[in-house]
């Protein structure tokens, strides 16, 4: 994609109870192996490892408990043949704060700073640090790099990342907008530049999955994004509320007696689509809406309306709009959501071609009508390739 050096990069994405793995050739982007270990730390689970067809290696699938990330990485290492020994390891880390605005070689000093940053991402960074510690112990000779989901948003101007709160809250406690899904927004915005043959694009990237975010990107630089201090801000998501009057949590604590932990659980795990209609999976919501379920229809309307508002706002922030990108599970697969999000935006030059939107097949494609001034693109995201490439570039440099 960017003329990267060819290295075998093992990309590790550690969630609180999962380990997602890809082994990639950083030059070609070829996926050599994919692994998933789920329900880490529970009494049951599944571990799977599949190889590229060209390698003619049998897949490994086991239903068994995995007590921790160290055990997951040890299992992975024991099943990788010698000819697939990686040259380096790249780790996805959700939060880099203001300290890490680009990929960084993992050293003891860097890890200490990441531990300090865990206060900003208590649900995400500790799992990544657990995976980093285990990978360094299992592969002590390999260079290891951290790539950050917040880094792409480091280019936000101060007027976009600051909240209207007392200055000490920012200076002393880091309360500001950081943004997330940066690896995905970075990938699809670069692919859009390649597809359209232009670097000076004004575009809005819509990462729509169980977690959802929008990013306003000008000439490859992010100038605003919908997620903020945490991934809770912004669009409606599978279980997250998105934008909310800040007085609502205070009201819930006062009137319903909810604790801070209870409010956190409500807004992050029990709201969004799940809170509106009882279903967090968009496929289920769409099917039930099609069958006439009024709450699922309402959930779809709220979901799309929030995205449409952000599209209009970001067109204003960018001073115009050259392209809209749909990516991630919902963005890549839901023809209904893409059509509904773009409905009524013809005044911005955003017009969907119904036939292109509903055409079978995946991959990168344009779905805008010939009359539309703004291009509408569907681009499957590939965060792992970004991590692999940036790991290779950093180590080559």
């Amino acid at each position: 994609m960017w003329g990267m050096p060819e290295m075998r990069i093992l990309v590790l994405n550690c969630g609180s109870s999962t380990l997602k793995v890809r082994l990639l050739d950083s030059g070609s982007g070829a996926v050599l192996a994919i692994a998933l270990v789920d329900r880490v730390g529970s009494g049951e689970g599944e571990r799977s490892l599949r190889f590229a067809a060209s390698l003619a290696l049998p897949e490994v699938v086991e239903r068994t408990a995995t007590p921790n990330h160290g055990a997951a990485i040890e299992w992975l290492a024991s099943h990788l043949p010698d000819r697939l020994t990686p040259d380096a390891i790249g780790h996805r880390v959700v939060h880099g704060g203001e300290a890490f605005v680009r990929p960084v070689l993992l050293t003891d000093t860097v890890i200490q700073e990441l531990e300090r940053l865990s206060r900003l991402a208590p649900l995400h960074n500790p799992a990544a640090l657990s995976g980093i510690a285990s990978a360094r112990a299992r592969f002590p000779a390999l260079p290891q790099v951290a790539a950050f989901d917040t880094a792409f948003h480091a280019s936000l101007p101060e007027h976009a990342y600051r909240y209207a709160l007392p200055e000490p809250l920012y200076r002393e406690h880091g309360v500001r907008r950081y943004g997330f899904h940066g690896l995905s927004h970075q990938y699809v915005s670069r692919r859009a530049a390649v597809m359209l043959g232009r670097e000076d694009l004004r575009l809005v990237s819509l990462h729509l999955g169980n977690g959802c975010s929008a990013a306003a990107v000008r000439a490859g630089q992010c100038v605003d994004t919908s997620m903020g201090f945490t991934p809770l801000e912004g669009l409606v998501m599978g279980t997250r509320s998105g934008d909310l009057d800040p007085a609502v949590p205070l009201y819930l604590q006062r009137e319903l007696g909810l604790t801070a932990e209870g409010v956190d659980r409500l807004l992050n795990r029990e709201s969004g689509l799940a809170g509106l209609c009882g279903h967090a999976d968009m496929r289920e919501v769409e099917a039930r809406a099609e069958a006439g379920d009024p709450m699922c229809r309402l959930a779809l309307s709220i979901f799309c309306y929030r995205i449409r508002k952000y599209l209009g706002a970001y067109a204003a922030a960018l001073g115009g709009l050259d392209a809209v990108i749909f990516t991630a599970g919902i963005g890549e697969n839901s023809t209904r959501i893409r059509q509904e999000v773009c409905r009524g935006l013809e005044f911005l030059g955003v017009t969907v071609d119904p036939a292109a939107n509903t055409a079978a097949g995946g991959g990168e494609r344009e779905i805008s009508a010939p009359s539309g001034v703004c291009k509408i693109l569907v681009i499957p995201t590939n965060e792992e390739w970004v991590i692999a490439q940036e790991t290779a570039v950093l180590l080559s440099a």
Side-chain angles (χ1 to χ4, degrees):
M1 177 178 167
W2 302 306
M4 297 295 111
E6 292 189 8
M7 302 174 67
R8 282 193 302 273
I9 308 295
L10 186 67
V11 177
L12 301 182
N13 180 358
C14 291
S16 58
S17 61
T18 61
L19 173 66
K20 299 177 182 178
V21 181
R22 285 198 186 185
L23 181 65
L24 299 102
D25 181 301
S26 62
S28 66
V31 179
L32 306 175
I34 298 177
L36 173 64
V37 182
D38 69 0
R39 300 185 184 181
V40 174
S42 71
E44 57 181 350
E46 182 173 286
R47 306 187 290 214
S48 62
L49 174 60
R50 295 176 173 84
F51 300 95
S54 60
L55 297 174
L57 291 169
E59 68 179 56
V60 180
V61 179
E62 299 176 356
R63 289 176 174 82
T64 185
T66 305
N68 50 50
H69 288 103
I73 290 171
E74 184 62 38
W75 173 84
L76 172 70
S78 69
H79 286 84
L80 278 178
D82 290 342
R83 62 177 163 140
L84 293 182
T85 299
D87 299 307
I89 298 177
H91 296 266
R92 178 182 182 235
V93 180
V94 167
H95 214 309
E98 292 185 325
F100 301 110
V101 298
R102 59 185 57 85
V104 62
L105 187 67
L106 284 163
T107 64
D108 292 342
T109 301
V110 167
I111 290 171
Q112 288 175 0
E113 180 64 17
L114 289 176
E115 290 170 346
R116 188 187 68 81
L117 284 170
S118 288
R119 65 189 175 89
L120 296 177
L123 299 179
H124 299 94
N125 274 27
L129 285 164
S130 174
I132 288 168
S134 300
R136 293 181 87 206
R138 183 59 180 79
F139 301 98
L142 292 185
Q144 305 199 26
V145 170
F148 302 93
D149 245 351
T150 51
F152 183 62
H153 306 302
S155 55
L156 262 63
E158 190 170 14
H159 65 257
Y161 72 70
R162 289 292 298 272
Y163 291 116
L165 292 172
E167 180 75 3
L169 292 179
Y170 168 60
R171 297 296 176 192
E172 299 172 20
H173 301 282
V175 179
R176 53 157 286 179
R177 305 182 68 251
Y178 291 99
F180 300 90
H181 292 151
L183 294 164
S184 176
H185 291 301
Q186 177 181 346
Y187 176 80
V188 298
S189 61
R190 289 185 176 179
R191 287 305 305 159
V194 172
M195 290 176 68
L196 300 179
R198 288 178 55 188
E199 297 289 340
D200 61 339
L201 293 171
R202 299 164 299 177
L203 60 86
V204 174
S205 168
L206 299 173
H207 178 106
L208 307 179
N210 186 55
C212 300
S213 65
V217 182
R218 180 188 292 115
Q221 299 291 307
C222 186
V223 298
D224 206 346
T225 190
S226 58
M227 286 181 167
F229 180 64
T230 74
L232 181 59
E233 187 178 353
L235 306 180
V236 174
M237 306 175 220
T239 63
R240 297 183 188 128
S241 65
D243 288 341
L244 190 73
D245 184 335
V248 170
L250 303 177
Y251 176 85
L252 296 176
Q253 288 180 299
R254 185 175 64 249
E255 297 295 320
L256 302 183
L258 292 182
T259 63
E261 291 75 15
V263 171
D264 182 274
R265 182 173 61 253
L266 172 70
L267 299 183
N268 278 291
R269 301 181 184 276
E270 299 171 359
S271 296
L273 295 174
L276 286 166
C277 67
H279 305 282
D281 190 316
M282 180 57 79
R283 293 167 295 188
E284 182 72 14
V285 176
E286 286 196 54
R288 289 176 177 269
E290 189 67 27
D293 186 315
M295 293 311 298
C296 287
R297 287 183 172 180
L298 176 62
L300 283 179
S301 295
I302 294 172
F303 180 86
C304 294
Y305 177 68
R306 184 79 57 84
I307 299 168
R308 201 155 53 242
K309 283 207 302 183
Y310 267 91
L311 260 173
Y314 285 170
L318 291 166
L321 199 55
D322 297 309
V324 175
I325 304 168
F326 288 91
T327 193
I330 297 171
E332 294 168 26
N333 296 298
S334 176
T335 59
R336 177 173 182 163
I337 295 299
R338 294 194 297 261
Q339 181 70 49
E340 182 65 18
V341 164
C342 296
R343 183 178 57 82
L345 296 179
E346 291 80 9
F347 73 100
L348 291 175
V350 178
T351 307
V352 172
D353 182 322
N357 186 38
T358 57
E364 298 177 347
R365 57 202 186 276
E366 180 183 337
I367 62 168
S368 42
S371 60
V373 176
C374 175
K375 301 296 184 183
I376 307 172
L377 308 175
V378 179
I379 304 178
T381 192
N382 196 337
E383 297 155 302
E384 294 84 4
W385 193 5
V386 175
I387 296 170
Q389 290 178 321
E390 296 203 330
T391 298
V393 168
L394 179 62
L395 297 177
S396 297

